[in-house]
Amino acid sequence: RLTIPAAEEILDNQIVQLQDLDTELHSLQESATSYKAAAKNVEKEIETLRPTVVQAKAQLQADAAATRAEGREEAEAMSRMCDWYTSAEEMYKDLFGLESIDTPSENELRLQYSRPVPYTVSLVFNPTTKQLADAKARIPLLGLPGVDISEAIDLAVDANDGRQLLAYARMKATMVANGRV
């Protein structure tokens, strides 16, 4: 049982609550309208960017295909170069009778030849300057200790010319093979 003043007070409170709720509803409706407008703007922006995205995807696929093609071309070129190097190495070995190439240390290169007579040339390089520092050659002379080419070695080291030393050693080996030494 309510008294009239108590009922009027409850009614006044409910009217205030309804006004507050109505104000909040109006504010929320305005926010929803602005959010809808912002969403439409974003949607329009997305639609304008969609062709750019499609174009970028197509360009990315084309670039990826081109990169794969370049990679294949590079691999094929490297394979051809490797084949050429291997065949050139085999030809050189066969032409000059080169049996083996060995690196006993990080700065020494040892070449063993089988023709015209078996002989070995070791080239020692200075690790810092990468220049010829010393060389050794062993050209056997039909059971004797071998041919002395120390003078040619000294000249080659002074000139930093390993190729000339190899040519000289080959010439001496040929002379041994032909019986001229």
Side-chain angles (χ1 to χ4, degrees):
R1 297 195 181 219
L2 285 177
T3 61
I4 294 182
E8 285 179 353
E9 186 179 330
I10 291 174
L11 179 62
D12 289 339
N13 285 340
Q14 286 179 345
I15 290 173
V16 168
Q17 282 179 345
L18 280 175
Q19 287 175 345
D20 289 343
L21 288 174
D22 191 41
T23 304
E24 188 178 336
L25 177 64
H26 185 56
S27 172
L28 289 174
Q29 285 175 340
E30 286 179 1
S31 294
T33 304
S34 68
Y35 285 138
K36 284 180 184 178
K40 284 183 182 179
N41 289 339
V42 168
E43 209 172 288
K44 287 178 185 175
E45 210 172 306
I46 288 172
E47 286 302 317
T48 59
L49 292 176
R50 187 159 281 145
T52 306
V53 170
V54 169
Q55 184 180 8
K57 282 183 182 179
Q59 183 65 40
L60 181 65
Q61 289 174 346
D63 289 348
T67 301
R68 283 192 301 272
E70 285 176 10
R72 278 192 301 272
E73 288 173 7
E74 281 184 24
E76 289 170 3
M78 290 298 288
S79 176
R80 286 191 304 271
M81 190 167 25
C82 185
D83 290 343
W84 175 85
Y85 176 76
T86 303
S87 65
E89 180 184 26
E90 290 300 318
M91 181 196 69
Y92 179 79
K93 283 181 172 183
D94 187 48
L95 184 65
F96 292 104
L98 182 61
E99 286 294 315
S100 69
I101 301 172
D102 189 25
T103 53
S105 66
E106 71 178 46
N107 62 331
E108 183 178 354
L109 180 66
R110 184 176 301 147
L111 306 166
Q112 292 181 332
Y113 294 89
S114 63
R115 290 194 308 264
V117 293
Y119 66 100
T120 304
V121 177
S122 293
L123 303 171
V124 180
F125 297 91
N126 184 326
T128 54
T129 63
K130 308 294 185 216
Q131 292 186 337
L132 186 62
D134 193 15
K136 298 174 192 109
R138 193 173 64 75
I139 304 171
L141 183 59
L142 305 175
L144 299 175
V147 176
D148 180 25
I149 62 167
S150 58
E151 187 176 317
I153 289 173
D154 292 340
L155 291 172
V157 169
D158 288 343
N160 188 34
D161 194 354
R163 287 186 297 182
Q164 287 294 1
L165 178 60
L166 292 174
Y168 185 77
R170 179 155 184 78
M171 180 190 69
K172 283 294 190 180
T174 303
M175 290 172 71
V176 167
N178 293 332
R180 294 188 186 146
V181 175

